[in-house]
């Protein structure tokens, strides 16, 4: 009987044809259920080679040497379970035949049904009559006859669907989509499934006939070569668009996807992406190219307006390589031939493209980065010659224990070169040393002492090319020394509250620093200074290295946390006070310009997975007017939810400082589950900035940026979505207008 159970192994190759086709009348459930582990039957085998079985009766014909088992025959071997009405084993011919309500369940959960199964003496090839294969993922494959020879499986008059064949009440129904074919062949050597005389049906109606059709069988990692699902769009700018990707697997670790794009209003385009994974890491290279007309980004295009004709393209590459346990290299490259190409062809909304390379060495106590990067601006009216090129950017840090007081030192060496083709050039180098020591007092207070010292050396030229005077620094060579001392103490109090636990942590910090010659050196990386809860207790509240907050100050605040089942609340609030009354370089409106700073805080609320809310705020120290209000909220379940994002910066900063403009915007999005499979979704972004927030703004206080609304049907085997999107921004030939996107996805088809 050991040979008999090898029949079970023939069910596994047939399962690989799960992306095949079938006849609807054969896809329904069979009368007899499959064998399950909890049913009465033979005991489990002691090893994978052993076979156990049970039957109502067992007959042996000694002259013909035939063993016949009848009456609910059940067999177990290596995780496979067989049930049949009768099993006949001819020991002379080494043929095995299972008859009557045959069902086989594999260890993976797939179940094969058949009226009868015949095996050859190799027990690897065989024939199944009236096949039904129910896959673990819900897919169904049916055929009048299935044969397997030399590892190739052939199904005659076959059908496949991953869709449900019964409704919610258990009554038979037509699957949403299915594939039927006269013949289906699975070749495991080529990892492909091929069809002859194929028909695709949707809702019971044939919609496509193909004389031949093939796709990967899914057994290879990353899939195999073949067509992917098409993409259909209709936009005001480009007209109707059809893109049909073709996936080419060059090797198990390399692939290429080529996507032609055909438009009704503009010339075709070609997109390609190459990916590779090797022993050092992974990288990908992509591009998009076409030939057409383009207009300067500063022009407002009108219908019929034509521009310069030529090649328009976009290049994008990135990767990361781990050379050894310590060293790694990360790189990215992005380039566009013009400023409107990405938006015109709906590739990206980015207004800056950054390219760079970074070699890093990371050990337990040290870090080294050697990098370089460049920026291409896509903003209308921005001067490309003013965009920085950093070469090189070097940063080295080393930590080591303090042998005297038990603290820890961190040494930092930094060098940066900024070049511009038509602007100010800057070179910087500094060496800094920081000491930190943390201790806990007997009362439970956490005390942190910090000392910092740094020496800077700068060289700059062409300073008149920089519009903002405070960013220029002195022409030529200049130096600067920085020193600071700080003491930071926290005192947490923990107790019960409303059936939960609360933690209140007052915090106080003193920072002392001498006068710093900030304006003698240029400002390249510390321009967008703004007081927030994240930098309230920072040693330097400027975001970069080129500016240092000098003087002495005291910062005070508190953190509060409350936790109970499914509910979590976090809050922080604080303010700082300058101990010396003297002029500082921080611009008015940043929240740090007076002796008292503005009041900043953050509140975070989470209730299970239903509510997540975060609000960051800044209140004017005098009038308590809201200078910054930032809200991010998500309310709802995975199927139905609303998300809200709101930002208002009302800081009244000098408009000449371009990095600190005020603005106001709101972002809304959501999804509503209408029925079991139907949902609608949408989002909008609205610019609420007016002349009150930004005197240089052209907005009227209510300027939509982008709206999106869609309808989606998604079940276990089919997905269809229709999306309408409208863009209101207009730059050159990237005109405002509407775009319609149709998306279809059939489960288990393609790679």
């Amino acid at each position: 009987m050991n040979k008999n159970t090898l029949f079970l192994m023939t069910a596994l190759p047939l399962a690989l044809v799960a992306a095949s086709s079938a006849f609807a009348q054969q896809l329904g459930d069979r009368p007899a259920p499959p064998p399950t582990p909890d049913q009465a039957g033979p005991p489990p085998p002691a090893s994978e080679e052993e076979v156990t079985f049970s039957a109502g009766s067992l007959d042996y014909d000694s002259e013909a040497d035939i063993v016949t088992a009848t009456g609910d025959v059940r067999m177990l071997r290596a995780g496979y379970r067989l049930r049949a009405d009768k099993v006949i084993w001819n020991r002379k011919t080494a043929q095995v035949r299972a008859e009557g309500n045959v069902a086989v369940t594999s260890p993976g959960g797939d179940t094969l049904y058949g009226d009868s199964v015949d095996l050859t003496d190799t027990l690897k090839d065989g024939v199944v009559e009236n096949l039904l294969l129910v896959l673990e993922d819900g897919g169904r494959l049916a055929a009048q006859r299935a044969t397997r020879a030399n590892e190739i499986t052939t199904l005659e008059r076959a059908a496949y669907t991953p869709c449900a064949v019964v409704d919610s009440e258990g009554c038979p129904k037509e699957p949403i989509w299915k594939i039927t074919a006269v013949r289906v062949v699975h070749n495991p050597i080529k990892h492909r499934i091929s069809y002859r005389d194929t028909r695709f049906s949707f809702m019971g109606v044939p919609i496509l006939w193909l004389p031949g059709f093939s796709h990967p069988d899914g057994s290879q990692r990353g899939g195999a070569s073949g067509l992917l699902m098409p993409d259909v769009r209709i936009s005001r700018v480009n007209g109707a668009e059809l893109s049909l990707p073709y996936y080419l697997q060059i090797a198990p670790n390399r692939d290429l996807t080529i996507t032609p794009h055909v438009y009704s209003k503009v010339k075709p385009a070609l997109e390609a992406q190459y990916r590779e994974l090797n022993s050092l890491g992974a990288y990908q290279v992509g591009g998009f190219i076409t030939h057409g007309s383009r207009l300067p980004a500063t022009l407002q295009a009108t219908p019929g307006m034509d521009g310069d004709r030529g090649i328009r393209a976009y290049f994008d590459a990135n990767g990361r390589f781990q050379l050894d346990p310590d060293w790694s290299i990360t790189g990215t490259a992005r380039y566009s031939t013009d400023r409107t190409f990405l938006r015109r062809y709906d590739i990206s909304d980015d207004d800056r493209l950054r390219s760079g390379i970074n070699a890093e060495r990371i050990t337990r106590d040290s870090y080294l980065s050697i990098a370089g990067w460049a920026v291409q601006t896509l903003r209308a009216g921005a001067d490309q010659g003013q965009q920085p090129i950093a070469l090189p950017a070097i940063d080295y840090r080393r930590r080591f224990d303090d042998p005297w007081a038990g603290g820890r030192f961190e040494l930092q060496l930094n060098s940066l070169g900024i070049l511009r083709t038509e602007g100010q050039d800057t070179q910087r180098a500094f060496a800094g040393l920081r000491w930190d020591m943390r201790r806990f007092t007997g009362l439970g207070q956490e005390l942190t002492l910090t000392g910092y010292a740094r020496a800077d050396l700068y060289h700059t030229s062409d300073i008149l090319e920089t519009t903002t005077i405070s960013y220029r620094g002195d022409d030529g060579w200049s130096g600067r020394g920085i020193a600071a001392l700080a003491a930071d103490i926290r005192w947490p109090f923990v107790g019960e509250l409303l059936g939960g636990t609360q933690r209140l942590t007052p915090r106080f910090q003193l920072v002392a620093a001498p006068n710093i010659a900030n304006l003698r050196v240029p400002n390249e990386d510390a321009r967008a200074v703004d007081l927030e809860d994240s930098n309230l207790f920072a040693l330097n509240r400027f975001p970069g290295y080129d500016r240092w907050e000098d003087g002495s100050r005291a910062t005070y605040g508190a953190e509060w946390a409350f936790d109970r089942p499914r509910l979590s609340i976090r809050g922080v609030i604080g303010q700082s006070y300058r101990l010396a009354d003297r002029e500082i370089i921080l611009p008015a409106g940043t929240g740090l310009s007076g002796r008292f700073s503005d009041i900043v805080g953050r509140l975070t609320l989470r209730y299970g997975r239903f509510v997540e809310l975060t609000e960051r705020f800044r209140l004017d120290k005098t009038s308590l007017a809201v200078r910054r209000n930032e809200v991010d909220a998500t309310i709802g379940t995975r199927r139905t939810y609303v998300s809200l994002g709101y930002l208002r910066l009302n800081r009244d900063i000098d408009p000449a400082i371009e990095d600190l403009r005020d603005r106001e915007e709101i972002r809304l999005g959501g999804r509503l589950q209408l029925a079991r499979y139907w949902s609608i979704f949408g989002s909008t972004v609205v610019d609420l900035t007016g002349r009150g927030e930004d005197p240089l703004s052209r907005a009227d206080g209510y300027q939509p940026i982008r709206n999106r609304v869609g309808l989606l049907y998604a079940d276990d085997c089919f997905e269809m979505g229709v999306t309408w999107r409208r863009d209101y921004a207009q730059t050159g030939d990237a005109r405002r207008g509407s775009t319609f996107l149709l998306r279809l996805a059939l489960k288990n088809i393609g790679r």
Side-chain angles (χ1 to χ4, degrees):
M1 288 297 178
N2 190 17
K3 294 181 178 180
N4 196 25
T5 56
L6 289 181
F7 145 74
L8 302 177
M9 302 300 292
T10 64
L12 189 58
L14 293 176
L16 295 177
V17 199
S20 314
S21 328
F23 297 112
Q25 65 270 24
Q26 296 177 336
L27 290 168
D29 291 332
R30 297 295 169 89
T36 58
D38 56 350
Q39 291 176 324
S47 65
E48 291 189 358
E49 298 300 326
E50 183 180 349
V51 178
T52 60
F53 74 94
S54 64
S57 63
L58 185 68
D59 296 324
Y60 177 63
D61 185 342
S62 59
E63 293 184 2
D65 200 9
I66 295 176
V67 179
T68 303
T70 58
D72 193 21
V73 182
R74 296 177 183 270
M75 295 184 176
L76 300 179
R77 181 180 186 270
Y80 288 87
R81 301 188 300 274
L82 164 69
R83 186 214 59 228
D85 293 340
K86 179 188 290 187
V87 173
I88 304 172
W89 179 21
N90 190 323
R91 294 166 60 92
K92 290 183 178 180
T93 63
Q95 291 181 335
V96 179
R97 179 178 177 85
E99 298 178 344
N101 297 316
V102 181
V104 180
T105 301
S106 72
D110 300 335
T111 301
L112 180 147
Y113 299 88
D115 289 345
S116 65
V117 175
D118 289 296
L119 297 177
T120 65
D121 57 358
T122 63
L123 300 181
K124 295 182 179 179
D125 302 330
V127 179
V128 182
E129 300 290 345
N130 192 14
L131 165 76
L132 172 65
L133 182 61
V134 180
L135 304 174
E136 190 274 336
D137 63 3
R140 288 171 177 250
L141 169 69
Q144 288 186 357
R145 181 182 177 88
T147 62
R148 184 170 188 261
N150 299 323
E151 298 187 359
I152 295 179
T153 304
T154 303
L155 293 90
E156 305 292 341
R157 302 189 63 80
Y160 169 74
T161 183
C163 307
V165 296
V166 295
D167 58 21
S168 58
E169 297 179 356
C171 299
K173 73 168 186 176
E174 181 73 19
I176 293 179
W177 71 268
K178 65 180 179 181
I179 304 175
T180 60
V182 172
R183 175 174 291 181
V184 180
V185 178
H186 171 234
N187 190 327
I189 300 175
K190 296 182 178 180
H191 307 284
R192 294 202 68 81
I193 299 173
S194 303
Y195 303 78
R196 194 186 75 184
D197 193 5
T198 308
R199 287 172 172 81
F200 290 80
S201 298
F202 182 75
M203 302 292 289
V205 178
I207 59 174
L208 179 64
W209 174 83
L210 295 173
F213 170 67
S214 70
H215 61 77
D217 64 6
S219 61
Q220 281 188 303
R221 183 177 181 180
S225 302
L227 291 172
L228 306 182
M229 292 301 297
D231 189 12
V232 179
R233 303 186 185 206
I234 300 176
S235 69
R236 177 175 176 266
V237 177
N238 297 327
E241 174 189 354
L242 173 64
S243 58
L244 186 60
Y246 181 82
Y247 174 79
L248 176 64
Q249 186 180 48
I250 303 172
N253 65 323
R254 292 179 292 166
D255 60 43
L256 174 66
T257 303
I258 301 175
T259 308
H261 297 259
V262 180
Y263 308 90
S264 62
K265 290 187 177 182
V266 294
K267 292 183 178 180
L270 184 65
E271 180 182 5
Q273 183 186 56
Y274 174 82
R275 303 184 302 176
E276 179 174 333
L277 173 67
N278 54 48
S279 59
L280 294 179
Y283 70 95
Q284 61 181 7
V285 179
F288 196 106
I289 186 169
T290 187
H291 186 279
S293 63
R294 57 189 174 199
L295 295 171
T298 53
L299 291 182
Q300 297 296 315
T302 59
M305 183 181 294
D306 200 4
D308 297 334
R309 294 187 176 275
I311 296 296
R312 306 187 70 182
Y314 168 65
F315 175 80
D316 185 4
N318 61 78
R320 179 179 176 85
F321 302 95
Q322 193 72 39
L323 305 181
D324 61 31
D326 297 336
W327 279 97
S328 65
I329 296 179
T330 304
T332 180
R334 303 182 71 192
Y335 175 76
S336 178
T337 55
D338 57 83
R339 302 194 182 195
T340 60
F341 180 69
L342 296 185
R343 288 194 52 226
R344 169 66 185 268
Y345 288 88
D346 203 15
I347 300 173
S348 171
D349 291 324
D350 294 341
D351 57 8
R352 291 187 180 94
L353 302 181
R354 177 165 169 160
S355 301
I357 186 169
N358 186 16
E360 293 179 293
R361 183 180 185 271
I362 303 175
T363 66
R364 181 175 180 178
D365 296 317
S366 68
Y367 171 78
L368 173 63
S369 169
I370 305 174
W373 48 264
V375 175
Q376 179 188 9
T377 182
L378 304 182
R379 291 185 171 187
D383 187 356
Q384 179 61 41
Q386 290 284 341
Q387 302 307 309
I389 301 173
L391 191 68
I394 303 174
D395 189 55
Y396 173 76
R397 306 184 190 198
R398 177 66 183 270
R399 291 178 178 175
F400 48 93
D401 292 333
D402 162 22
W404 303 289
R408 168 163 286 196
F409 285 108
E410 179 178 304
L411 171 68
Q412 182 179 12
L413 305 177
N414 184 280
S415 176
L416 174 66
I418 295 291
L419 308 176
R420 293 179 176 88
T421 57
E422 299 176 5
Q424 179 174 331
D425 295 340
T426 298
Q427 292 80 43
R428 177 191 73 202
F430 71 74
L433 185 65
R434 175 168 176 156
W435 172 79
D436 290 284
M437 184 182 69
R438 189 176 67 161
R439 292 288 186 269
F440 290 93
T441 69
L443 297 177
Q445 300 160 327
E446 180 186 356
L447 174 64
T448 302
L449 301 178
T450 301
Y452 186 75
R454 201 176 87 193
D456 301 345
L457 180 65
Y458 282 81
H459 180 272
T460 186
S461 59
D462 299 322
I463 63 174
L464 297 181
E465 299 290 338
T466 299
T467 304
T468 305
I469 298 176
S470 61
Y471 295 164
R472 294 176 177 174
D474 294 341
D475 194 20
W477 292 95
S478 58
R480 180 180 62 175
I482 295 174
L485 294 174
D488 190 316
I489 188 169
R490 306 185 190 200
W491 197 352
F493 296 90
V494 181
E496 296 182 355
L497 177 67
L498 301 176
T501 302
Q502 70 164 335
R503 183 176 67 254
L504 178 63
T505 307
R507 185 175 181 182
F508 182 77
Q509 180 194 59
L510 282 175
V511 178
N515 296 342
I516 307 296
N518 278 298
L519 296 180
R520 292 181 56 188
V521 302
N523 184 1
E524 296 282 3
D525 64 1
R527 298 181 177 183
V529 58
D530 196 10
L531 179 62
E532 302 175 349
D533 64 280
S534 59
N535 65 2
L536 176 64
F537 288 92
L539 195 62
N540 178 33
R541 291 182 288 197
F542 281 97
Y545 295 113
D546 291 336
R547 291 290 181 266
W548 185 272
E549 187 178 2
D550 54 8
S552 300
R553 66 180 185 271
T555 305
Y556 42 88
E559 301 171 357
W560 181 71
F562 174 71
D563 293 284
R564 60 172 300 168
R566 296 181 57 82
L567 178 63
S568 172
I569 303 176
R570 299 286 186 272
V572 60
I573 191 169
Q575 186 183 32
S576 65
Y577 173 74
R578 296 193 178 279
L579 302 180
D581 184 11
R582 66 180 186 82
E583 185 178 359
I584 58 175
I585 65 169
L586 288 157
T590 59
L592 294 165
S593 56
R595 295 194 68 176
F596 281 97
S597 75
D598 286 348
I599 302 170
V600 295
R602 181 188 73 250
L603 177 66
T604 301
L605 169 67
R606 290 186 177 91
Y607 180 74
R609 296 185 177 181
F610 187 76
V611 177
E612 184 172 346
L613 168 68
T614 299
E615 180 178 14
R616 295 177 176 86
F617 61 88
R618 197 179 100 202
L619 305 179
D620 188 276
K621 56 183 174 292
T622 303
S623 63
L624 298 182
V626 180
R627 297 301 179 192
R628 179 189 184 101
N629 189 17
E630 186 175 0
V631 180
D632 287 290
T634 301
I635 302 173
T637 64
R638 184 177 61 88
R639 292 176 173 267
T640 298
Y641 62 86
V642 175
S643 62
L644 165 69
Y646 174 75
L647 173 65
R648 184 170 189 261
L649 301 177
N650 183 28
R651 301 169 295 185
D652 294 334
I653 298 178
D654 186 352
I657 304 177
E658 69 269 21
D659 299 280
L660 298 174
R661 298 279 176 81
D662 285 343
R663 60 192 177 97
E664 184 177 8
E665 71 174 27
I666 187 171
R667 306 178 306 277
L668 291 172
R671 184 176 186 268
L672 175 62
Q673 191 76 27
L674 300 175
R676 183 179 180 183
Y677 301 124
W678 290 94
S679 62
I680 60 174
F681 57 89
S683 63
T684 184
V685 179
V686 181
D687 184 3
L688 302 178
T689 307
R691 295 294 179 89
E693 288 86 13
D694 185 0
L696 302 180
S697 173
R698 298 180 180 179
D700 58 2
Y702 184 86
Q703 178 61 55
I705 303 299
R706 171 175 289 185
N707 295 333
R708 183 175 67 113
V709 176
L711 177 66
L712 177 67
Y713 173 90
D715 60 21
D716 56 348
C717 70
F718 174 71
E719 184 174 306
M720 178 181 67
V722 179
T723 303
W724 167 80
R725 191 189 73 216
R726 179 170 179 82
D727 294 292
Y728 294 87
Q730 179 165 321
T731 304
D733 57 358
R735 300 193 301 270
R736 61 174 64 94
S738 297
T739 299
F740 293 89
L741 172 63
L742 173 64
R743 183 178 184 273
L744 299 174
L746 305 180
K747 182 180 178 181
N748 289 345
I749 290 295
R751 66 183 175 95

